[in-house]
């Protein structure tokens, strides 16, 4: 089952006749990368959960993550804000917002070049990021090939756990390690250095995207756009100990958050088996990816009525059965749309 | 008196340390032009006044107008939409929106390369336009010099008149020529051909912006950023007959709409007296600008407490006195912010 957003994006490609739509960024004729993302109050953030500096940081980071997802270098950012007319402490709030935004932009070599300010009934942040393709190559969602190894950065599920912490409020205020989960949700780190390490190793031979809509969605998007199948070892998906124990304390299977929680701005890539061998001879620091699965040839012509999710299979190894094994179920995704 | 938006934009330049902010577009290192504009339901449009195709056209046109305001060529557009979850006939509405948007983009040589879809409590359209500087030159707001001639395209006040027609509803439904005013408001034409004719004639020697926030605001922005004074002959400001008669029938001085109404996406430029002479030897078709005033040297150091608007003086010629003569009063501007 495609999500409503995926159905609409397909239609928009038809209506506009645009050949650029469908990856994390559009690739322009001169190799520039362009991406646009919107954060809406109440849908993507709550001002009782985040402060304005963190909101500025995150608004920047999620857009830089789209440049990382093409293995590019971010250069320019525009920031268009829609603000309620009666916003209290507007000037102080905006100063904090731009402080956080500028901190994140500078930390990753980008700068704000323009934007727009306008009044509206709700607070909306729209950011457009412009970057440059790396001279070593460009990595798209569609580049996976049978025999590739599936690799990821970081850990999964921590952002969803951080959001749950905020939703539980005081009742979870004594959790040890809560700061790690809150930061994962409120101040994500775009994986630009990791993307550059990857593209230097593999050039254009592989597939890449970020897991902003969840690991399961990222795996499915790569499999679908590359016309391959993917098998993932559930137990190989990196998770933080704090996330797993807080999930269990909250009555949630940690794999729910790791696979479907979303907003982990980690990278998901497939690289050739040869490149994976080369990567293992490097120190972990210079190739900060972990293997979670493999790419398989897709059987010819899927049976009518086959679920799109069947392209991605989740395997529980050993004797431990796991309710999350089987094909990915995209309707489990936490979707804003 | 600076508007609230102007004050905030100044602060944002400080907070971000960005040297790019302050013109219609940012000019990137490679000469590319970038601009971002937001249209908010209830602030910038009402779905009982516009249809979705017109909204798509206008969302595109106002962004292309920012590229025209730098005498550039538009190339790429991103469209980020925030849509209410319970939007009726969503798919049909979006199809009409993208139809209008794509029509406008193609008519002026640009294409949609990406965007974002998200859910929010109100409908918000954010567009980022990317263009290229013209090989003949780049025209900024800051390029006006004493002795220059102030020239404009098109007519002023028609968009405000069109909005008033919509607000009056049935009571104005029999007005002759109403279609002209409605189109000026709902389907503005970005003045890209006019901007190219200008830059071919003058290169980088002059000043240019669009009058999206009103003619008075555009004149003041050019005067302020160029550190010059401007004198305009009120009677020389091009107005349509239908606009003037509808204004009078509505009890409004037509100069209120022409100077302060806003949303006339016409160009306002200053060019040297020599270039103006050259332009007059061309046929009107190939230089579609009319003279409305002159640029004067600014007296040294304005007196403390002088109003910013005093940089622009409006002269009523002959015996007809006009209540709009005198310095421009920016607080008369119809401002969304």
């Amino acid at each position: 089952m495609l999500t409503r957003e995926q159905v609409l994006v397909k239609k928009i490609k038809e209506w506009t006749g645009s050949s650029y739509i469908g990856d994390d960024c559009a690739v322009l004729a001169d190799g520039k990368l362009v991406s646009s993302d919107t954060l809406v109050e109440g849908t993507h953030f709550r001002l009782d959960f985040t402060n304005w500096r963190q909101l500025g940081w995150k608004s920047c980071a999620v857009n830089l993550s789209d440049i990382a997802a093409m293995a590019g270098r971010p250069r320019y950012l525009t920031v268009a804000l829609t603000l309620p007319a009666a916003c209290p402490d507007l000037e102080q709030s905006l100063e904090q917002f731009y402080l956080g935004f500028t901190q994140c932009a500078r930390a990753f070599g980008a700068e704000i070049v323009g934007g727009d300010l306008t009044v509206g009934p709700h607070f909306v942040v729209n950011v457009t990021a412009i970057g440059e393709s790396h001279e070593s190559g460009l990595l798209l969602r569609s580049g996976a090939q049978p025999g590739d190894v599936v690799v990821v950065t970081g850990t999964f599920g921590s952002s969803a756990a951080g959001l749950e912490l905020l939703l539980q409020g005081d009742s979870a205020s004594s959790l040890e390690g809560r700061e790690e989960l809150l930061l994962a949700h409120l101040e994500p780190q775009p994986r630009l250095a990791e993307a550059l390490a990857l593209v230097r190793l593999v050039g254009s031979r592989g597939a890449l995207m970020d897991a902003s809509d969840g690991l399961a969605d990222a795996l499915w998007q790569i499999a679908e756009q590359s016309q391959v199948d993917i098998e993932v070892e559930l137990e190989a998906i990196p998770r933080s100990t704090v996330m797993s124990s807080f999930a269990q304390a909250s009555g949630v299977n940690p794999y729910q958050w790791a696979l479907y929680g979303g907003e982990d701005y980690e990278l998901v890539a497939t690289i050739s088996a040869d490149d994976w061998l080369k990567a293992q001879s490097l120190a972990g620091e210079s190739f900060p990816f972990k293997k979670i699965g493999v790419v398989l040839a897709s059987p010819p012509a899927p049976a009518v009525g086959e679920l799109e999710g069947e392209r991605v299979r989740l395997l529980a190894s050993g004797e431990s059965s796991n309710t999350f094994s089987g094909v990915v179920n995209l309707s489990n995704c936490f979707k804003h749309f």
Side-chain angles (χ1 to χ4, degrees), chain A:
Chain A
M1 263 291 286
L2 295 182
T3 63
R4 193 178 177 204
E5 182 180 5
Q6 287 166 342
V7 171
L8 284 174
V9 169
K10 279 195 174 192
K11 299 250 177 212
I12 291 170
K13 283 181 76 164
E14 281 173 34
W15 298 330
T16 62
S18 174
S19 60
Y20 295 86
I21 298 171
D23 219 305
D24 292 87
C25 293
V27 185
L28 307 186
D30 63 356
K32 279 219 164 55
L33 305 169
V34 181
S35 175
S36 190
D37 252 326
T38 307
L39 284 81
V40 182
E41 185 182 358
T43 306
H44 303 94
F45 63 88
R46 283 171 52 168
L47 288 169
D48 53 342
F49 284 177
T50 183
N51 65 44
W52 286 80
R53 186 191 55 72
Q54 288 173 319
L55 180 61
W57 175 282
K58 185 167 179 174
S59 303
C60 183
V62 305
N63 278 275
L64 297 186
S65 183
D66 282 324
I67 304 284
M70 313 289 284
R73 290 189 175 94
R75 289 292 307 275
Y76 306 108
L77 295 151
T78 63
V79 188
L81 298 182
T82 303
L83 302 161
C87 190
D89 302 321
L90 179 64
E91 196 176 312
Q92 293 89 323
S93 303
L94 284 183
E95 184 171 3
Q96 288 301 306
F97 176 89
Y98 281 100
L99 177 67
F101 197 104
T102 307
Q103 274 177 340
C104 181
R106 287 194 185 145
F108 296 97
E111 54 188 328
I112 301 179
V113 297
D116 191 25
L117 282 179
T118 193
V119 155
H122 260 76
F123 188 34
V124 178
V125 185
N126 180 273
V127 178
T128 297
I130 301 177
E132 286 163 356
S133 310
H134 194 274
E135 58 275 11
S136 302
L138 182 67
L139 287 159
L140 308 176
R141 296 179 181 179
S142 56
Q145 294 181 12
D148 279 5
V149 172
V150 182
V151 296
V152 296
T153 59
T155 59
F156 291 84
S158 294
S159 178
L163 177 59
E164 178 63 22
L165 259 176
L166 292 165
L167 290 166
Q168 289 187 15
D170 287 344
S171 63
S173 62
S174 63
L175 179 78
E176 207 172 322
R178 71 194 293 275
E179 196 60 21
E180 173 194 323
L181 303 180
L182 292 176
L183 284 176
H185 185 67
L186 297 173
E187 299 185 41
Q189 299 289 323
R191 298 306 186 191
L192 286 153
E194 293 79 355
L196 294 191
L198 180 72
V199 75
R200 282 197 193 105
L201 181 76
V202 309
S204 299
R205 180 58 269 293
L208 183 62
M209 75 175 281
D210 75 351
S212 49
D213 286 335
L215 176 58
D217 173 80
L219 292 165
W220 183 79
Q221 296 280 355
I222 288 175
E224 174 71 10
Q225 295 203 25
S226 303
Q227 293 290 300
V228 295
D229 282 7
I230 286 179
E231 270 184 8
V232 165
E233 297 282 344
L234 271 177
E235 286 85 353
I237 298 170
R239 291 147 290 146
S240 90
T241 320
V242 185
M243 186 283 286
S244 294
S245 53
F246 179 57
Q248 273 148 3
S250 305
V252 175
N253 186 318
Y255 287 104
Q256 170 64 30
W257 286 345
L259 287 163
Y260 302 108
E263 294 220 71
D264 294 309
Y265 293 90
E266 301 296 346
L267 297 177
V268 182
T270 85
I271 65 176
S272 73
D274 281 354
D275 283 333
W276 176 239
L277 275 177
K278 269 189 241 166
Q280 286 176 287
S281 69
L282 300 172
E285 282 296 299
S286 54
F287 194 75
F289 286 81
K290 295 202 174 96
K291 176 178 172 177
I292 63 166
V294 292
V295 178
L296 304 172
S298 192
V304 176
E306 187 184 4
L307 287 173
E308 285 88 349
E310 294 187 14
R311 285 201 174 279
V312 182
R313 285 180 293 277
L314 307 166
L315 310 177
S317 66
E319 291 165 32
S320 68
S321 79
N322 189 311
T323 52
F324 279 84
S325 62
V327 297
V328 299
N329 181 355
L330 293 180
S331 61
N332 276 347
C333 287
F334 171 72
K335 275 288 184 184
H336 300 303
F337 203 84

